[in-house]
Amino acid sequence: MTIGITGATGQLGRLVVKKLKAKVPSADIVALIRTPARAAGLGISVRGADYDKPETLDPAFAGIDTLVLISSSELGQRRAAQHHNVIEAAKRTGVKRIVYTSLLHADTSPLNLADGHRGTEAGLRLSGIPFTILRNGWYTENYTASVPAALAGGAFLGSAGNGRISSALRVDYADAAVAVLTSDGHEGKTYELAGDEAYTLSDLAAEISRQTGRTIPYNNLPEADYAAALTGLGLPEPLAHAYASYDVGASQDALFDNGRQLSALIGQPTTPLATAVADALKQAG
Ligand SMILES: NC(=O)c1ccc[n+]([C@@H]2O[C@H](COP(=O)([O-])OP(=O)(O)OC[C@H]3O[C@@H](n4cnc5c(N)ncnc54)[C@H](OP(=O)(O)O)[C@@H]3O)[C@@H](O)[C@H]2O)c1
């Protein structure tokens, strides 16, 4: 059985490839990627596959039994169109199963990100191809990436209020992808994947304070002020506004889930927040 993985040069995709190689022969895994120049070190065969160029997808998918569609990093309508191209090519080339990385509670999520995922999930259901949907929750790394800025500025900034955040590390979501690829019984299933323990951004700031011995409070800002702060830190304006809006969603518990389906799927607890913070502090030097 040949497993093709899109987005294999991305941060999640690389982890999926690495962990899958520990479970199945490398000869059975193919990286389906946009930028072959980034493939060095993957250690599996590589085919060019650009979501925006349907003509690249049919040759890339030839002979692929299971396709792991890692959602595109493009935002908005274009992403839905890209995923549509992938599903249509999968139909044409006889792919037997698709595993798709969606968004936690994609059917009800207030995050504007959810629109494209809803469209792709509907496309999968209509495709006739057996599928498994991994509704991935927030990456803890999205927040721990702000640890250096918090240390430099003396406060952790955000707009998430007291929203409960059930994030998990990319490595936990990669384990979930490998679990559904290497065990039976996942066809037609939709998994809501999230970390075991929810935290607020105040909890996160307290953990950073505990581990550094400094006082780093959480400073909750109105959405526009947080977006401006992110722009000030060098983020492009559209991205800063998007991140601030996700935090407002978080304040409404859009990133919360207590079903513990992720740890059930991977057969171990998700990585604790304290470990994620320790890793981030190590990286920050
Ligand atoms: N759950 C969360 O918190 C969260 C946060 C951010 C994103 N996401 C979603 O999860 C996905 C995976 O996360 P990640 O951290 O691995 O993101 P990432 O590091 O940005 O990787 C995205 C991957 O998508 C590929 N890609 C983008 N446009 C493409 C196209 N036109 N054709 C083919 N491939 C294309 C990129 O290829 P290149 O290597 O060529 O650039 C890259 O490999 C993201 O793309 C996004 O949909 C989730």
Side-chain angles (χ1 to χ4, degrees):
M1 192 195 66
T2 304
I3 301 173
I5 304 176
T6 71
T9 46
Q11 296 163 90
L12 178 65
R14 281 184 186 278
L15 291 168
V16 174
V17 169
K18 183 175 163 203
K19 286 174 164 280
L20 192 58
K21 280 166 64 183
K23 293 272 176 79
V24 307
S26 296
D28 293 347
I29 315 170
V30 180
L32 306 165
I33 58 175
R34 170 174 65 171
T35 318
R38 297 191 63 203
L42 282 179
I44 53 175
S45 69
V46 167
R47 299 181 194 167
D50 188 328
Y51 302 147
D52 284 319
K53 297 178 182 156
E55 69 278 11
T56 66
L57 300 178
D58 288 49
F61 294 177
I64 298 294
D65 298 300
T66 296
L67 178 70
V68 183
L69 170 52
I70 293 189
S71 52
S72 168
S73 42
E74 199 70 50
L75 296 178
Q77 280 310 311
R78 180 143 162 236
R79 168 153 69 177
Q82 291 177 328
H83 294 170
H84 174 78
N85 289 342
V86 171
I87 294 169
E88 289 303 307
K91 286 200 287 200
R92 286 192 299 270
T93 54
V95 165
K96 297 183 184 70
R97 180 186 175 204
I98 298 179
V99 174
Y100 173 60
T101 63
S102 183
L103 175 73
L104 184 70
H105 304 150
D107 50 344
T108 56
S109 175
L111 301 186
N112 61 12
L113 281 173
D115 278 349
H117 289 295
R118 277 193 283 269
T120 303
E121 290 191 4
L124 281 175
R125 291 196 172 85
L126 286 173
S127 71
I129 302 175
F131 62 85
T132 304
I133 295 173
L134 301 173
R135 285 185 175 164
N136 288 350
W138 223 231
Y139 299 149
T140 305
E141 290 95 328
N142 297 346
Y143 282 120
T144 55
S146 299
V147 163
L151 295 178
F156 196 98
L157 307 182
S159 292
N162 290 319
R164 296 167 294 172
I165 297 163
S166 311
S167 67
L169 288 174
R170 281 187 184 86
V171 74
D172 295 321
Y173 297 114
D175 280 335
V178 171
V180 303
L181 289 167
T182 57
S183 59
D184 294 329
H186 305 292
E187 271 76 10
K189 296 243 172 89
T190 297
Y191 293 100
E192 303 287 357
L193 301 181
D196 286 338
E197 304 294 343
Y199 59 91
T200 64
L201 291 189
S202 297
D203 296 333
L204 174 55
E207 184 58 30
I208 297 167
S209 303
R210 188 184 71 76
Q211 292 195 27
T212 57
R214 292 178 52 188
T215 301
I216 307 286
Y218 171 53
N219 188 0
N220 195 58
L221 300 173
E223 181 176 355
D225 293 0
Y226 181 42
L230 290 174
T231 311
L233 287 169
L235 227 63
E237 211 160 300
L239 219 52
H241 283 284
Y243 285 178
S245 80
Y246 304 152
D247 246 27
V248 172
S251 75
Q252 299 154 359
D253 275 350
L255 309 182
F256 174 70
D257 179 88
N258 59 2
R260 299 198 171 200
Q261 292 185 30
L262 177 51
S263 51
L265 202 52
I266 65 181
Q268 61 188 31
T270 58
T271 310
L273 180 66
T275 307
V277 168
D279 288 350
L281 286 170
K282 212 180 295 165
Q283 276 174 32

